[in-house]
Amino acid sequence: MALLSFSRSFTLLSSPFHFFSPRSIRRRRSFVCSLSAATDVRSRSAVLWFKHDLRLDDHPALSAAETHRFVLPLYVFDRRILSRYSDDMLELLLFALEDLRKSLKEQGSNLMIRYGCAENVIKELVKEVKATDVFIEEEVEYEMRQLIGVVKKTLETSSSLDWNLDIVMWRTPFYDVKNLKELPASYNDFKKQKLIPTSPLFPVTLPVAETELDWGPLPTFSDLKEFIKEKLGKSKESWNLMKEMPAEVLLKENLSKSFGTIPKSLNDKSIEQRRLDKSVFVTRKGDVVGGGTNTLLNALAAYLRYLEGTARDDWQEVHERLRNAETREGASFTSLFGPALCLGIISRRRVHYEAIKYEKERNAGFLSPFGYSAASVAAAADAVCSMELILGAVVLALKSQVSNEGLYSIRIWRWRGHLIQYTVVGLEGPAILLVHGFGAFLEHYRDNINAIAKHGNHVWGITLLGFGQSEKPNFVYTELLWAEMLRDFIIEVVGEPVHLVGNSIGGYFVSIVASVWPSLVKSVILMNTAGNVIPEFSSRRFPSKTNRADDWLINEMLRASYDPGVTVVLESIFSFDLSIPLNYPLEGYEEKVLILQGMKDPLLDSKAKLAMLKEHCTGLAIRELDAGHCPHDEQPQKVNSIVCEWVVAVERKLTANSYS
C-alpha cells in the first residue's frame, strides 16, 4: 500500500495484482485507522462509486468500507460512460443496477442513482453526507482514466470541503503478485511461475443509512437512450447508429444490388433461439447472460455442468445457447458471459473459483496436471486467466506510458469488452489511422507515426484484436469483425473522418471500411494489400529488406505468438474467405485511393497485381517502391513523404469541393 501526496490525500491500495485477501482486508482496516490517530474509522463516512463493478460479491472496496459509520453506494449515469455502450450493454446495465439496488435494500442500504457529470455529482454528495473517503475502482481505458482524473482533481481542489478527504483507488487482484515488474512478459515464462489465483471475497453487509436521502429513480431503456442523445449533435448521432448495423447486413444489401449474388460466407442463416419467461438472457437479442450476480452464478453453474444434462428449464436454456455459441471449442464462454464480466456483475476470480470448485467435485477433490476434465471448465478458467494476463501487459504499458519502440504513449480502448492498445500523436491536422498486417501490431509503424505527425497530421495507430498486446479472446475472427472494430474506433476514439492506411491484410480491412461506411473515410492508402482483384488471385506477405526484421520486432512477434488465445487468431488466416474483390470496395473512391506497392515481395507477383488493379479499378494512384511486403517498415522515409504529400493533396481537393 502506498500513500501519495495531494492537496487532499489520495490512497492507492496495493498494486493492481496484489490487493484484498482476507488478510489484506484486515491490513486495510488497520491502515485506515492509522490515517488519523484522532479519528475513529467508525466515525467516518464514505461514497462508493460503482462503474464496472456492479456486484456485492467479491468486491474489495465494500469489504474495506464496511467498518465506516455510513457508506453511500452510488451509480452515476454519465453520458461520457454510457455513450460507449451498445444497446445490448445498456439493457444489461439496467438489469444489473436493478438487481444491485434490490440486494442493497435487502441489507437496509440502497443504491443512489444520479445523472450528469460524475465529478459534479460526487462533489455535491461528498458535501451532503460529509464523506471522508471516496472509493473508486482503477481503470485501464484511456477515456475512463481521464474521467477519473477529472473527478480526483475536482475533489482535491474543492474549496467547499473543510475536512480531509481520502480518494481510495482499488482493484480486485487475480494473482498474488506483490511487484508488478516481476510479472514476465512471456506467457511461457508466466506458466513456469505457477501462480495461484487469489480467493474471492464473499458479500458484506453495509451500515444502514441514518439520514433521509433522495435515492433517485432507475430510468427505463427508452428514457436512458433519450438522455444519452440529448447533447449529441446530429452527425454524432448518425455515426453512433452505424455501430448498431453489422457489416454483414450492409454488405449483403450492397452486394446483392451490385452483383445480384451474395458470397457464400455472407449467406449463413441465423439460428432461431427459444427464450423462457424467467430467462437469464435478458436482452432483446437474447444471446448473452444478464441480470444480477446470483443470476450469473446460476447460469455459470449450468454452463460448467453442460456434460451432465439437466431437467431444469433454465439450465437447459443455457445449454441450448451454449451449443449455438460454440462456433469453436470454448468460444461459448466469452460469447455468453463476456458482457457481464465487462460490467463487473461477476468477477473474473469468482468465475475461476467456481470452475475449479466444480472440477474438484468431478475428480474427488483433485486437479489433474494434464488438463481439465470438462471442456466447459477449461473454457471458463482459461478465458478469465487469459483476460488477467492481457490486463497485466496493459498495466505494465500504462506504467511506462511510452512504447518500447518510438516516443508515443500507449493507450487502452475497450471494444465489446476487450482491451485494445492504440496510440495517437499530434494535436491537430488531418486524422490518419495506420492499420498493421497479420501477425504485426501498432509498433510496426514505429518509424512512421511521429514522422507523419510532424508534418501537421493527427496520427493514430492501433493493434487489432488478437494481435500484439491487445486481447485475444476465443472466438471466430473474420475480416468483417476487424472491419467493424476499425469502424467503431473511428467513431468512438478518433471522432472524425480519417485517411485510412493499411498494410497486407490490414489493407483489405480498411478497404471494407471505406466501402461500407464511406462517410468515415477521406481516402485509402493500401500498401501491398491482401485481397483479390479476381477470385483466383491472392497475396502473401514477406519482406525483402531483411535487416528491418530486427531482434526487437522478431521477439515481440514471438512473444505475442505464445499468448493464450493466439491459436484461434492464427487459424483464422486459413479460414478467411476474401471473396469480396478489391475492385468492389474501391469502387466510388476515384482519385481517393493510393496504392503503394513493394515490387520485391518475393512470393507475390507485384507486376501482375498492379496490372489487375489498373484493369479493374479506375482512378487509382500507384507508386512502385523498391521494397518487399512492408514498404513502410523497409523504406519509412520514402513512405512517410508519399503519405504526407498524398494527404495534403486530398485535403485540398476536399476543401475545394466544399466551396464549389
Side-chain angles (χ1 to χ4, degrees):
M1 301 182 183
L3 183 63
L4 307 181
S5 176
F6 284 98
S7 58
R8 302 189 185 278
S9 77
F10 161 59
T11 309
L12 177 62
L13 293 179
S14 185
S15 72
F17 287 89
H18 179 66
F19 194 61
F20 288 116
S21 61
R23 183 175 61 181
S24 62
I25 286 291
R26 292 192 292 271
R27 290 201 302 266
R28 162 60 186 156
R29 292 170 183 166
S30 299
F31 176 71
V32 172
C33 291
S34 67
L35 285 175
S36 174
T39 304
D40 179 5
V41 69
R42 292 192 178 276
S43 69
R44 300 168 71 95
S45 58
V47 172
L48 196 155
W49 178 22
F50 283 96
K51 301 189 307 300
H52 299 121
D53 54 325
L54 307 181
R55 62 185 187 274
L56 300 185
D57 177 74
D58 194 24
H59 198 294
L62 285 172
S63 297
E66 68 169 327
T67 56
H68 286 59
R69 176 182 60 81
F70 169 60
V71 179
L72 177 66
L74 169 69
Y75 187 86
V76 183
F77 285 99
D78 189 315
R79 291 182 182 87
R80 293 166 294 183
I81 299 175
L82 300 174
S83 62
R84 298 151 49 249
Y85 292 162
S86 66
D87 284 357
D88 280 353
M89 286 293 283
L90 289 175
E91 288 184 278
L92 287 177
L93 171 67
L94 291 175
F95 278 107
L97 290 174
E98 181 180 19
D99 183 85
L100 182 59
R101 169 171 270 188
K102 178 183 176 182
S103 298
L104 285 166
K105 282 184 173 181
E106 289 172 354
Q107 295 186 357
S109 182
N110 205 333
L111 176 66
M112 180 163 283
I113 300 296
R114 288 292 184 268
Y115 302 80
C117 296
E119 61 271 22
N120 297 330
V121 169
I122 294 174
K123 182 181 74 173
E124 292 305 312
L125 286 175
V126 165
K127 289 168 56 180
E128 182 177 351
V129 302
K130 298 189 181 302
T132 53
D133 299 274
V134 177
F135 287 86
I136 305 175
E137 185 184 21
E138 279 195 290
E139 300 277 358
V140 294
E141 298 168 74
Y142 177 77
E143 295 297 335
M144 288 300 300
R145 289 169 68 87
Q146 293 293 102
L147 175 56
I148 290 173
V150 171
V151 171
K152 290 195 296 185
K153 184 176 180 180
T154 300
L155 294 176
E156 291 161 6
T157 58
S158 176
S159 59
S160 61
L161 302 182
D162 56 1
W163 62 88
N164 290 328
L165 176 67
D166 291 325
I167 303 172
V168 185
M169 304 300 296
W170 65 275
R171 178 175 295 284
T172 306
F174 196 85
Y175 295 109
D176 191 7
V177 179
K178 296 180 180 180
N179 186 352
L180 191 61
K181 293 181 179 179
E182 295 176 358
L183 195 68
S186 165
Y187 180 59
N188 281 347
D189 291 339
F190 174 82
K191 289 193 296 184
K192 293 176 183 177
Q193 292 192 0
K194 298 181 179 179
L195 296 174
I196 299 175
T198 55
S199 297
L201 302 171
F202 287 92
V204 299
T205 300
L206 294 180
V208 179
E210 298 175 356
T211 57
E212 290 294 327
L213 295 170
D214 177 13
W215 294 98
L218 273 171
T220 64
F221 177 76
S222 57
D223 289 341
L224 187 56
K225 289 289 288 184
E226 286 301 316
F227 171 74
I228 296 171
K229 290 179 182 178
E230 276 181 16
K231 293 190 177 181
L232 286 177
K234 289 186 178 180
S235 60
K236 185 70 173 177
E237 186 176 341
S238 65
W239 275 29
N240 282 338
L241 289 174
M242 292 184 195
K243 296 190 295 182
E244 301 299 325
M245 183 66 73
E248 184 174 4
V249 174
L250 295 173
L251 275 172
K252 282 181 179 179
E253 294 176 357
N254 296 342
L255 287 168
S256 61
K257 291 177 184 177
S258 299
F259 299 105
T261 59
I262 300 174
K264 184 178 179 181
S265 61
L266 300 179
N267 204 25
D268 296 326
K269 294 182 179 179
S270 60
I271 301 174
E272 292 187 4
Q273 299 176 333
R274 69 185 182 96
R275 182 177 173 186
L276 304 177
D277 291 335
K278 295 182 179 180
S279 175
V280 298
F281 299 91
V282 294
T283 66
R284 284 169 291 182
K285 288 184 179 178
D287 55 356
V288 297
V289 177
T293 303
N294 289 335
T295 301
L296 265 292
L297 288 172
N298 178 53
L300 177 62
Y303 180 89
L304 295 173
R305 291 160 177 79
Y306 172 67
L307 292 179
E308 294 181 5
T310 179
R312 293 178 53 171
D313 287 346
D314 56 343
W315 282 24
Q316 286 181 5
E317 186 189 23
V318 172
H319 294 173
E320 181 182 351
R321 297 295 198 276
L322 186 160
R323 288 189 292 271
N324 293 339
E326 195 76 348
T327 49
R328 56 164 289 110
E329 185 173 324
S332 55
F333 179 80
T334 299
S335 176
L336 298 179
F337 292 88
L341 282 167
C342 180
L343 289 174
I345 304 171
I346 188 172
S347 71
R348 289 187 296 276
R349 66 179 180 181
R350 174 61 70 188
V351 170
H352 188 272
Y353 176 86
E354 295 297 331
I356 298 305
K357 177 183 173 183
Y358 174 61
E359 177 69 6
K360 289 181 178 179
E361 289 176 5
R362 286 176 56 85
N363 295 281
F366 295 98
L367 291 178
S368 169
F370 304 106
Y372 299 112
S373 62
S376 55
V377 173
D382 291 347
V384 293
C385 290
S386 175
M387 291 176 191
E388 197 65 25
L389 286 174
I390 290 294
L391 183 61
V394 163
V395 173
L396 280 174
L398 292 174
K399 292 286 184 182
S400 65
Q401 290 296 312
V402 176
S403 168
N404 292 329
E405 287 292 318
L407 300 176
Y408 41 84
S409 63
I410 295 298
R411 297 181 179 181
I412 302 301
W413 170 54
R414 191 183 293 274
W415 182 67
R416 298 182 181 177
H418 306 297
L419 302 179
I420 308 298
Q421 287 199 351
Y422 73 97
T423 190
V424 58
V425 178
L427 299 176
E428 57 185 6
I432 302 173
L433 175 56
L434 307 175
V435 182
H436 61 80
F438 194 86
F441 31 82
L442 71 85
E443 287 90 350
H444 203 198
Y445 287 100
R446 52 189 166 169
D447 292 331
N448 311 105
I449 295 171
N450 284 295
I452 296 175
K454 286 179 180 177
H455 282 78
N457 298 301
H458 202 182
V459 182
W460 304 79
I462 186 170
T463 297
L464 297 171
L465 186 74
F467 298 105
Q469 292 190 3
S470 287
E471 199 166 329
K472 301 170 181 65
N474 182 2
F475 51 53
V476 176
Y477 292 82
T478 69
E479 55 271 38
L480 299 186
L481 176 82
W482 279 307
E484 289 178 349
M485 177 188 172
L486 293 173
R487 171 203 64 191
D488 293 351
F489 184 79
I490 296 170
I491 292 172
E492 295 180 18
V493 182
V494 180
E496 62 178 304
V498 300
H499 297 272
L500 275 175
V501 182
N503 172 235
S504 187
I505 196 69
Y508 189 71
F509 299 158
V510 304
S511 69
I512 294 175
V513 175
S515 171
V516 181
W517 305 283
S519 62
L520 303 180
V521 182
K522 289 182 174 180
S523 76
V524 177
I525 302 174
L526 305 179
M527 297 186 293
N528 287 63
T529 183
N532 308 317
V533 180
I534 58 174
E536 291 78 20
F537 196 91
S538 63
S539 65
R540 286 173 283 185
R541 303 154 269 293
F542 284 93
S544 68
K545 193 174 180 181
T546 55
N547 64 321
R548 287 298 295 169
D550 54 23
D551 290 343
W552 175 84
L553 185 64
I554 292 171
N555 289 336
E556 274 301 295
M557 288 184 171
L558 287 174
R559 186 212 60 76
S561 70
Y562 288 107
D563 282 351
V566 77
T567 305
V568 186
V569 188
L570 292 175
E571 288 175 358
S572 67
I573 194 62
F574 300 108
S575 60
F576 277 170
D577 180 8
L578 306 184
S579 55
I580 305 170
L582 279 173
N583 44 306
Y584 167 73
L586 299 182
E587 189 178 71
Y589 270 82
E590 287 79 6
E591 300 183 355
K592 292 184 181 179
V593 179
L594 172 62
I595 304 293
L596 295 182
Q597 191 72 24
M599 302 305 291
K600 292 184 177 179
D601 204 332
L603 295 181
L604 168 67
D605 189 341
S606 292
K607 290 184 177 180
K609 180 70 172 274
L610 290 181
M612 297 299 296
L613 285 167
K614 291 175 182 177
E615 179 181 353
H616 295 277
C617 306
T618 59
L620 302 182
I622 297 177
R623 296 290 297 271
E624 299 181 8
L625 298 173
D626 184 24
H629 190 68
C630 304
H632 62 288
D633 190 50
E634 298 173 43
Q635 290 197 359
Q637 293 181 343
K638 182 71 172 177
V639 169
N640 296 341
S641 176
I642 294 172
V643 169
C644 291
E645 291 172 2
W646 169 262
V647 169
V648 168
V650 172
E651 289 288 329
R652 284 175 180 167
K653 291 178 183 177
L654 292 173
T655 302
N657 291 337
S658 66
Y659 287 107
S660 60

